[in-house]
Amino acid sequence: MIVCQLIEGINLKPPIGALGFASVTLIKGESKNILFDVGGFGAREVISAIKKQNLVDCIFISHLHFDHSSNLDLYCNTDIPIYINTKELVYYKDTYDSNKESDMFPYFKTIADSLLVYEFEGSIELDRGIRTLETPGHTFGHSSLEITKGNQRLLIAGDAIKSINDYHNDEDYSNAYDPQNCISTKRKIKQENFDYIIPGHDKMFNVKCNDNQYFRCVKKNLRYF
Ligand SMILES: [Zn+2]
């Protein structure tokens, strides 16, 4: 199995408003290739190239914020399954109908019928060593992917862990739907003791590095797991 972070997300927060450039990761599994998130503006060229090369057998969407899911329209009218947690679809409908949150991908509602959406809940296996993990808080139905290869474990976190800084503190500064739940999810992830994390808005890092090794690990090219 090969895990490659194709796009390293960026974590920038202006004093007013929001920017979004999210990570996109390709997992070459034993029997299928899985694309984790499809990014938003600025990522379209990459997602389009992936589609043209028929590189992907299915897509996993961590949550329906615009910066993680806006390029889904490229997969309209195809037979590529799009895995989205049922709770996230309910949350989308709720927030969209009541206009409670503006960060959702607004056109998902328009294109949903043309996508092959595969709803799931809890922990399901997408391929050998690749399992979904519910990581709620940032959004109601936020989910991540847990990858096991030999005795090493990697979490493709989405916005459950936005950056390496986010991992190493106990606060929430991620415009979460439920900040308390976001923090407790972060604690649960830390207890799991993963070896590597791919954050939603940062490059992949090695969790096991101590403070002295920290910068060396971040600098090292860890795009491949
Ligand atoms: Zn988000």
Side-chain angles (χ1 to χ4, degrees):
M1 185 191 335
I2 297 172
V3 179
C4 179
Q5 186 179 5
L6 297 175
I7 293 179
E8 292 171 352
I10 291 174
N11 196 30
L12 278 179
K13 184 106 182 85
I16 297 173
L19 289 172
F21 190 67
S23 299
V24 173
T25 300
L26 180 66
I27 308 144
K28 288 173 159 268
E30 223 166 78
S31 72
K32 60 178 88 143
N33 293 346
I34 304 165
L35 190 63
F36 183 104
D37 282 348
V38 292
F41 301 116
R44 196 168 179 84
E45 209 177 325
V46 175
I47 306 302
S48 192
I50 288 169
K51 194 198 163 206
K52 275 185 201 137
Q53 291 175 59
N54 291 322
L55 273 180
V56 165
D57 300 302
C58 67
I59 293 171
F60 177 87
I61 296 293
S62 62
H63 64 302
L64 285 167
H65 277 167
F66 71 92
D67 51 334
H68 296 257
S69 60
S70 291
N71 292 311
L72 271 178
D73 63 301
L74 291 169
Y75 282 89
C76 280
N77 304 311
T78 67
D79 57 359
I80 303 293
I82 320 278
Y83 288 84
I84 306 177
N85 193 308
T86 307
K87 290 174 193 153
E88 187 67 4
L89 293 165
V90 170
Y91 174 72
Y92 179 85
K93 194 173 181 323
D94 184 37
T95 50
Y96 189 95
D97 287 349
S98 59
N99 201 19
K100 271 190 243 164
E101 194 190 335
S102 59
D103 287 345
M104 300 307 262
F105 167 37
Y107 302 112
F108 179 73
K109 192 179 183 178
T110 317
I111 63 168
D113 285 346
S114 313
L115 295 168
L116 190 60
V117 174
Y118 188 97
E119 291 185 36
F120 71 93
E121 278 194 83
S123 171
I124 63 162
E125 189 172 59
L126 297 188
D127 200 5
R128 206 169 120 99
I130 305 170
R131 295 197 75 88
T132 63
L133 179 71
E134 292 191 341
T135 44
H138 180 68
T139 59
F140 181 63
H142 191 286
S143 294
S144 307
L145 278 187
E146 205 179 341
I147 315 277
T148 308
K149 185 178 167 186
N151 58 2
Q152 299 234 290
R153 289 168 70 232
L154 160 75
L155 183 73
I156 311 179
D159 281 356
I161 303 289
K162 282 201 150 195
S163 65
I164 189 163
N165 282 335
D166 188 24
Y167 184 80
H168 285 293
N169 74 57
D170 261 343
E171 291 162 46
D172 166 64
Y173 47 94
S174 73
N175 64 315
Y177 146 81
D178 181 345
Q180 263 328 104
N181 200 8
C182 200
I183 291 165
S184 60
T185 288
K186 200 152 72 163
R187 288 196 183 125
K188 278 183 204 153
I189 289 172
K190 287 185 194 183
Q191 282 163 6
E192 283 287 325
N193 243 339
F194 287 98
D195 297 283
Y196 296 94
I197 305 262
I198 296 181
H201 292 266
D202 205 347
K203 60 173 76 173
M204 178 167 156
F205 62 91
N206 184 337
V207 178
K208 304 288 166 70
C209 286
N210 62 35
D211 286 349
N212 292 335
Q213 294 171 309
Y214 172 90
F215 289 107
R216 200 149 40 91
C217 291
V218 172
K219 262 166 65 185
K220 222 167 88 180
N221 184 352
L222 287 170
R223 293 201 322 147
Y224 293 90
F225 171 70

